[in-house]
Amino acid sequence: MKYAIILPDGCADESIPALNHQTVLESAHLPEMDRIATEGIVGFSNNTPANLPAGSDVATMSVLGYNPQEYYTGRAPLEAAAMGIDLGARDWAIRCNLVTIENGRMKSFNADQISSEEGADLLRTAQEKLGSESITFYPGVSYRNIVVWRDLPMSPAPLEATTRTYPPHDYTDRSILSVHPAGAGCVELSRLMSEVHAIFADHPVNRKRIAEGKLPATDIWLWGQGLRPTLPTFAEKYGVRGVMITAVDLLRGLGALLGWKRIDVPGATGFVDTNYRGKADAAIAALQEVDVVCIHVEAPDEAGHAGSVETKITALEQIDRWIVGPLHETLKTYGEYRILVTPDHPTPVRTKTHSHENVPWTIAGTGITPDSHTTYHEKTAAASSFGFPEGYRMMDFFMGKKV
């Protein structure tokens, strides 16, 4: 049996007045996703428990069959795994966004989509001036970087249990004055953020960006901290080998922890200009060697954070045409197969941030008896008899395990 998992990140949304009260999934032209719905079933999952962050870390862990209440330790440790950063038992990985803050407001949570090369230059300077035996800056992809704080102190209380941070994408165009780090670790994290602000103020990268009419990376934003997680591999859970195809370190890291091979596709950017066809080609080639391919596309989520209905529709239509269609056709040549399309969480364009609501999925293939639905979107999913309030149980169903 061959399996394909396609993750259009954050594509679930609300009914939008400008789309005649349709959702983005309803309004977009998605014949290949609708074909899966017609040949298979549509259902819903809730991948983000109310007591955990409504982010891709928690949600994707759920989608791939792992109960986040049991395994989730934070977002940054997953990204650290992707970057090959070795964490000790008391080492804290912390997500380090490059952001633009103006007059106490989050102007851009990604520093105007800063390039990886520019980000690495900024992080090198931060490391040269502030790095130590306990603090290390690791450049990542675009605005997404990691800081590691090694050998966390245990007193007066474990910092990981009492420190709170806030995702910067939740505060786009909003004041950030009340959402700086809080709790036991806030002094060190806030100190780093303040000192980096001074270092970046006249950095050559920022001078060049301003001259080019781009936003500067004025600050780092520290959040998503956590200790190293321990997960059983996907092969241990389901008996099959897989690959992860993504441009995002979070998914690369989760794939690594699951024991999946990582495939990097040239031109895969994490934005709407990503190489959709290249991702499909890589998955089709990988099916000759493994049983499970997982393609993650960040573009719909980025469009949601930007509040752009048009960009979100464009991203979904590209995913449908260049990934879903070709991959579905290839799977059919193997005889026995299953295909799944699902977002991890909603990212409504109205709010520009993640939410805890249900997401729609569609599954077709061997052993799946078609239901009456012929379209894939939130409203058909809500009317479906197939639902997983504990989203991590959906993967057991997809993989053919008794649920």
Side-chain angles (χ1 to χ4, degrees):
M1 181 90 81
K2 298 291 184 178
Y3 302 88
I5 303 165
I6 302 168
L7 302 175
D9 197 307
C11 77
D13 213 307
E14 306 167 339
S15 295
I16 299 171
L19 297 179
N20 196 27
H21 297 283
Q22 293 183 322
T23 69
V24 173
L25 279 169
E26 279 185 281
S27 181
H29 179 59
L30 306 173
E32 300 299 337
M33 295 185 199
D34 288 345
R35 179 185 173 200
I36 294 173
T38 300
E39 296 181 4
I41 60 177
V42 178
F44 67 88
S45 295
N46 190 298
N47 300 320
T48 53
N51 65 313
L52 293 176
S56 292
D57 42 7
V58 172
T60 307
M61 188 175 284
S62 289
V63 168
L64 296 178
Y66 294 78
N67 182 355
Q69 303 282 20
E70 181 177 358
Y71 296 111
Y72 178 73
T73 64
R75 181 186 186 107
L78 303 178
E79 298 184 352
M83 297 166 67
I85 300 170
D86 185 29
L87 296 177
R90 293 295 302 161
D91 293 347
W92 218 11
I94 310 161
R95 174 70 175 271
C96 176
N97 270 49
L98 294 172
V99 301
T100 305
I101 297 174
E102 291 184 358
N103 301 318
R105 300 179 73 84
M106 184 65 66
K107 178 75 172 179
S108 174
F109 73 90
N110 58 23
D112 204 7
Q113 298 184 2
I114 193 167
S115 72
S116 297
E117 294 74 20
E118 291 171 314
D121 197 348
L122 289 164
L123 265 289
R124 276 193 294 270
T125 302
Q127 177 62 27
E128 289 169 3
K129 295 184 177 296
L130 301 176
S132 65
E133 289 187 2
S134 60
I135 297 293
T136 307
F137 293 82
Y138 292 92
V141 177
S142 182
Y143 62 92
R144 311 175 187 96
N145 307 283
I146 293 292
V147 171
V148 173
W149 182 358
R150 300 197 182 275
D151 296 322
L152 286 185
M154 288 292 292
S155 60
L159 268 65
E160 66 273 14
T162 56
T163 301
R164 183 173 182 184
T165 59
Y166 302 84
H169 48 258
D170 284 356
Y171 296 92
T172 300
D173 297 326
R174 295 169 57 187
S175 171
I176 48 85
L177 298 181
S178 63
V179 291
H180 281 270
C186 71
V187 173
E188 178 68 7
L189 299 186
S190 296
R191 178 189 68 80
L192 281 176
M193 291 166 67
S194 176
E195 291 181 351
V196 169
H197 173 82
I199 292 168
F200 285 2
D202 194 39
H203 195 282
V205 166
N206 282 330
R207 291 202 303 268
K208 183 173 183 291
R209 287 181 64 81
I210 292 170
E212 293 172 346
K214 300 175 182 177
L215 294 177
T218 62
D219 294 83
I220 59 170
W221 192 265
L222 301 179
W223 64 289
Q225 68 281 351
L227 301 174
R228 180 184 63 200
T230 302
L231 288 76
T233 67
F234 200 82
E236 290 170 339
K237 280 178 66 69
Y238 299 109
V240 291
R241 297 176 300 125
V243 299
M244 175 65 75
I245 301 170
T246 180
V248 176
D249 273 343
L250 169 61
L251 274 293
R252 289 171 177 159
L254 186 54
L257 292 170
L258 269 55
W260 283 357
K261 179 182 175 182
R262 162 180 161 179
I263 299 178
D264 293 328
V265 174
T269 64
F271 298 107
V272 73
D273 63 349
T274 197
N275 184 0
Y276 301 93
R277 182 59 183 269
K279 289 188 173 186
D281 288 344
I284 288 168
L287 281 170
Q288 300 178 36
E289 299 180 4
V290 300
D291 300 308
V292 183
V293 294
C294 181
I295 302 179
H296 168 262
V297 185
E298 179 76 359
D301 186 62
E302 292 289 339
H305 288 308
S308 175
V309 172
E310 295 79 7
T311 304
K312 200 169 188 180
I313 288 175
T314 296
L316 278 168
E317 290 179 347
Q318 295 296 305
I319 293 167
D320 190 76
R321 178 182 181 184
W322 297 112
I323 297 178
V324 178
L327 190 51
H328 194 186
E329 284 299 310
T330 300
L331 285 166
K332 287 176 177 285
T333 67
Y334 284 94
E336 294 190 341
Y337 78 94
R338 285 190 179 180
I339 186 169
L340 162 68
V341 179
T342 183
D344 44 0
H345 53 70
T347 308
V349 295
R350 178 183 62 85
T351 61
K352 301 182 181 181
T353 191
H354 304 159
S355 69
H356 285 87
E357 279 73 34
N358 295 336
V359 298
W361 49 256
T362 184
I363 295 172
T366 305
I368 301 297
T369 302
D371 59 19
S372 61
H373 298 297
T374 58
T375 54
Y376 167 59
H377 52 74
E378 294 85 353
K379 293 172 186 176
T380 52
S384 172
S385 59
F386 295 96
F388 295 96
E390 295 178 306
Y392 71 93
R393 297 185 184 277
M394 185 268 289
M395 185 52 57
D396 285 352
F397 172 76
F398 177 65
M399 297 299 298
K401 292 182 69 173
K402 183 177 291 188
V403 295

